[in-house]
Amino acid sequence: MNRIFSGVQPTGNLHLGNYLGAIRNWVRLQQEFECIYCVVDLHAITIEQDPQALRAATREVAAGLIAAGIDPKKHIVFNQSQVAAHAELAWIFSCVARLGWLNRMTQFKEKAGKNRENASVGLYAYPVLMAADILVHKATHVPVGEDQKQHLELTRDIAKAFNSQFGVEFFPLPEPQIFGEAARVMSLRDGTKKMSKSDASDYSRINMTDDADAIAQKIRKAKTDPEPLPTEVAGLEKRPEAANLVDIYAALSGRTNADVLGEFGGAQFSTFKQSLADLAVHVLGPIGAEMKRLTTDPSFVDAALRDGAERARAIATPILREVHDIVGFLRP
Ligand code: TRP
């Protein structure tokens, strides 16, 4: 039986990069797998969060997943903190994982920056919690982006180490679920930087909740170069902004870059941007409207998360109980 687990950080400003890079793929996976999608609020507090903003972001991300087409009745959508088994297994795993393994995690080094002494213990142990997220559900497949591959590798190491330490074949070794072409969406202001929620300029990104006017305006103002679009894909080299807009068009329309350039090669950006704006509005408009509806009255999202947590608990609790037995915890 194949089971998908993936997690997403509760951050405000879900944007086109989140949609094309992850969420859209999560929607598709529902057809083939049993899917568990988790808003990882425990991971979020590894860096300081404003409590009100965290609550709002948790709802917004859950609303985004549901608005994009994840069915919280057929599959599971929940927030991590509601299922205590995650944190509990993370403790047990922190006694299996080795300092040396965590010392190699590149994301910690990036996130902790220069002042590593001042990083939280949680930030350091972050990948251990991620391993617990996946394995407490015995997930077999995990859709992750490039930046999380090392953490998934660590998850496999922890599963192997646990199995071998206790002489069991208990945890599966989860596989990364790679997508044909996970779109990497860059900033609309700088084609060499990833589109990011934390970029100071709102014009750098298309938010999932932007309305049609905002989407069109941001695309119109997107940075380009003075040349018309090339007719061949090779012509996009060293033209990061042009390449990004073509990538976005291709991803939104499900076409290849070559195909898009077959239609727009030789055209001026003004023409291409108009078509791109129409396409983006067509795809994102209904999702953004639904997100707004779901966040205005959060009762639906809250109920979906509560129900999701209950069903997640029903999967995780018996697995955790077996772990207790394997480890030797007394159950009188
Ligand atoms: N660390 C992931 C990220 O920042 C989020 C995450 C937490 C996750 N737990 C997970 C992803 C389990 C996949 C599986 O994107």
Side-chain angles (χ1 to χ4, degrees):
M1 167 63 156
N2 287 330
R3 179 180 284 158
I4 289 272
F5 184 96
S6 201
V8 56
Q9 293 259 4
T11 56
N13 291 340
L14 278 184
H15 54 71
L16 184 65
N18 303 117
Y19 179 68
L20 292 176
I23 296 173
R24 191 174 64 151
N25 298 316
W26 291 16
V27 173
R28 291 185 185 145
L29 289 167
Q30 295 180 105
Q31 287 160 19
E32 267 180 76
F33 294 93
E34 171 196 358
C35 300
I36 306 176
Y37 296 131
C38 182
V39 184
V40 293
D41 47 10
L42 296 175
H43 277 110
I45 63 163
T46 55
I47 54 177
E48 234 176 277
Q49 300 287 339
D50 170 66
Q52 290 295 347
L54 178 61
R55 239 184 309 273
T58 301
R59 283 189 175 122
E60 188 191 322
V61 169
L65 299 180
I66 295 168
I70 289 166
D71 182 342
K73 292 216 152 55
K74 285 207 190 107
H75 299 270
I76 293 179
V77 178
F78 74 108
N79 60 313
Q80 198 182 21
S81 60
Q82 286 200 64
V83 180
H86 287 244
E88 230 183 299
L89 185 61
W91 174 258
I92 295 170
F93 281 173
S94 70
C95 302
V96 172
R98 296 291 171 246
L99 283 176
W101 303 353
L102 287 177
N103 285 339
R104 287 198 285 274
M105 296 295 117
T106 55
Q107 187 171 292
F108 173 76
K109 292 177 199 169
E110 278 160 31
K111 283 199 185 174
K114 286 206 179 73
N115 198 357
R116 205 178 289 183
E117 295 285 307
N118 197 42
S120 73
V121 173
L123 188 67
Y124 185 72
Y126 180 115
V128 176
L129 176 58
M130 184 165 154
D133 293 340
I134 296 164
L135 294 170
V136 85
H137 295 282
K138 290 195 173 181
T140 55
H141 293 76
V142 182
V144 284
E146 202 55 47
D147 63 324
Q148 298 298 317
K149 274 199 187 142
Q150 194 185 31
H151 292 163
L152 190 59
E153 217 29 69
L154 182 85
T155 301
R156 293 167 58 90
D157 289 341
I158 290 175
K160 266 184 244 164
F162 181 94
N163 289 347
S164 116
Q165 181 177 334
F166 295 102
V168 290
E169 292 275 333
F170 188 70
F171 286 117
L173 304 187
E175 302 282 344
Q177 179 73 26
I178 311 279
F179 301 105
E181 268 177 72
R184 202 171 130 82
V185 180
M186 312 306 279
S187 159
L188 298 181
R189 310 259 74 205
D190 176 351
T192 64
K193 280 200 313 202
K194 252 174 98 167
M195 186 175 283
S196 160
K197 63 159 191 344
S198 47
D199 194 310
S201 167
D202 198 50
Y203 277 92
S204 70
R205 65 184 158 262
I206 295 172
N207 299 305
M208 282 175 69
T209 47
D210 281 345
D211 60 23
D213 285 345
I215 295 174
Q217 200 180 33
K218 286 175 179 181
I219 291 177
R220 219 178 305 121
K221 296 207 166 165
K223 187 176 170 199
T224 48
D225 54 44
E227 303 297 317
L229 281 161
T231 51
E232 307 286 330
V233 174
L236 291 171
E237 239 173 84
K238 305 223 170 78
R239 297 180 66 186
E241 283 81 22
N244 187 37
L245 294 182
V246 172
D247 279 345
I248 292 173
Y249 193 104
L252 284 172
S253 60
R255 293 163 59 184
T256 63
N257 285 5
D259 200 29
V260 173
L261 290 178
E263 182 178 345
F264 292 99
Q268 298 298 327
F269 274 106
S270 53
T271 313
F272 178 62
K273 281 177 166 181
Q274 184 58 54
S275 297
L276 178 57
D278 291 346
L279 175 62
V281 168
H282 176 75
V283 175
L284 289 181
I287 298 174
E290 179 66 358
M291 265 180 89
K292 275 195 198 129
R293 200 178 69 82
L294 290 171
T295 41
T296 308
D297 171 11
S299 60
F300 179 84
V301 168
D302 288 3
L305 290 174
R306 209 176 306 118
D307 175 63
E310 202 172 299
R311 287 184 292 131
R313 246 179 258 124
I315 296 171
T317 307
I319 293 173
L320 185 63
R321 202 174 293 138
E322 283 187 79
V323 171
H324 279 215
D325 289 340
I326 291 168
V327 169
F329 293 160
L330 178 62
R331 175 147 50 110

